[in-house]
Amino acid sequence: MYKMKIPLFLLSLLVLGSCAKFDVYKPEGVREAKNVFTPAWIKNLDPAYETGNLPISLGSPLIHDGVVYAGNNNGTMDAYSIKNGRLLWREKIKDGFQSAPIVYENLLIYGDVSGRVYAKDIVSGDFKYQFDLGSSVDSTLTVSKGRLFVHTRNHKLFAIDALTGKVLWSYKRSIPFFSTLQRTSKPLVVENRVFVGFADGFLLAFSLEEGQVVWEKKMSTADKFVDVDMSPTYFRGKLIVSSINGQAEVIDPQSGALHNRLAFTTNRDAYYLGSSVVFGTIDGKLVIVDSSFNVEREVKVSTSAISSMSAWKNGYVITTVGKELIYIDQKFNVISKYDLGSVHSAVFGVVSVEDDHLAMMSSRNRLYLFK
């Protein structure tokens, strides 16, 4: 479980400051909820913690067939009714969560911080399989062609039969850096290749069947914090990938050769927008890349790093590592914002959308369902 340590004197200043302004403080979310962001229900899933050590959530929920599935730092996987937030079931598991659950056929599959992976039948409620991988499952799992791909915090990639839980192959990366972001890249499968970024700043291509390294490419020349922790984006026959300490690059998926370099830095997954693709940057911009791999447009929407973008209602919802949600229209004009309240609130994961419902988990362990 991740914990943010706050000095006692700073915490005191925050408390005193909030008390001094208590009579005039109005969370922006309350004022703007009737506009676009209307909370249907909110769950406080904060675990017990010692004063000065805030437990931070990096996880994400999943909406599937009218049910919101969300793991939390209390060490449970919960299922809630999307209509009224009623708890349908709660499964005590080994540890907390840093990633989102997925659904494959009739299985709800998820991994926890201890490295244990679970596959639960969403109809019967029975577990199809459980197994330990030895290190935290930090990125959302990927299923392609019947194979479950898991990238763990100790820089290891597993290919697993998604229906039986049998490990088919694995690869361990030796990372010489101690200064990493401790996040992991979600594997991308294209045809017979698997593409994954690692904390040493390299992007690797594996053969799907045997797990052999086909090529590897260094994405950053910096001395530290060179992680490639975004999922590679496959667009117009090329890969677009960035290290957190380098520019985004357009790469040939067959050879790993550089096609061209783009003048922005991102560490988040892209959003596909017709003939273009959109990236959120670490300086609060949305960058639109056209089909010729040129930067078509840049739009500043926040002072904080962008963590995700998703279509919602008639526009798009943007989450940030600041304390606000942002709603933009199809022309990328900012229409509304929702303040998450706490100065320590952020969204490190992604949102989940079904119809007009939107679920998200804040870093302060609050599960929100907007309608």
Side-chain angles (χ1 to χ4, degrees), residues 319-333:
T319 63
T320 73
V321 300
K323 63 188 184 75
E324 62 182 2
L325 305 181
I326 302 168
Y327 183 79
I328 61 175
D329 62 19
Q330 294 185 8
K331 295 182 179 180
F332 285 29
N333 298 308

Side-chain angles (χ1 to χ4, degrees), residues 36-37 312-318 325-329 333-338:
V36 175
F37 293 102
W312 187 47
K313 296 184 177 179
N314 295 316
Y316 307 97
V317 63
I318 309 297
L325 305 181
I326 302 168
Y327 183 79
I328 61 175
D329 62 19
N333 298 308
V334 175
I335 302 302
S336 183
K337 295 183 180 181
Y338 184 87

Side-chain angles (χ1 to χ4, degrees), residues 41-91:
W41 47 263
I42 303 172
K43 303 291 181 181
N44 181 359
L45 302 174
D46 221 4
Y49 62 93
E50 296 178 0
T51 301
N53 292 279
L54 290 176
I56 299 301
S57 172
L58 303 180
S60 306
L62 170 71
I63 307 177
H64 179 75
D65 287 347
V67 179
V68 180
Y69 300 99
N72 59 69
N73 284 339
N74 289 293
T76 67
M77 172 59 70
D78 300 340
Y80 300 94
S81 168
I82 198 172
K83 294 180 180 179
N84 53 25
R86 181 172 64 90
L87 182 65
L88 302 176
W89 54 259
R90 169 169 287 167
E91 190 76 45

Side-chain angles (χ1 to χ4, degrees), residues 193-207:
R193 298 272 174 91
V194 184
F195 303 97
V196 186
F198 287 90
D200 60 353
F202 279 80
L203 175 71
L204 271 68
F206 299 88
S207 63

Side-chain angles (χ1 to χ4, degrees), residues 21-31 323 339 341:
K21 299 180 181 179
F22 182 77
D23 58 336
V24 297
Y25 175 69
K26 294 180 180 179
E28 290 184 23
V30 174
R31 183 173 66 250
K323 63 188 184 75
D339 194 306

Side-chain angles (χ1 to χ4, degrees), residues 2 58-59 98-99 138-139 151 153 155 180-185 198-199 227-229 267-268 348-349:
Y2 289 95
L58 303 180
Q98 308 290 1
S99 59
D138 285 357
S139 68
H151 187 184
R153 191 186 301 170
H155 322 294
T180 77
L181 296 180
Q182 293 295 358
R183 298 291 281 166
T184 54
S185 168
F198 287 90
D227 309 50
V228 180
D229 56 11
N267 70 330
R268 295 293 178 166
F348 293 115

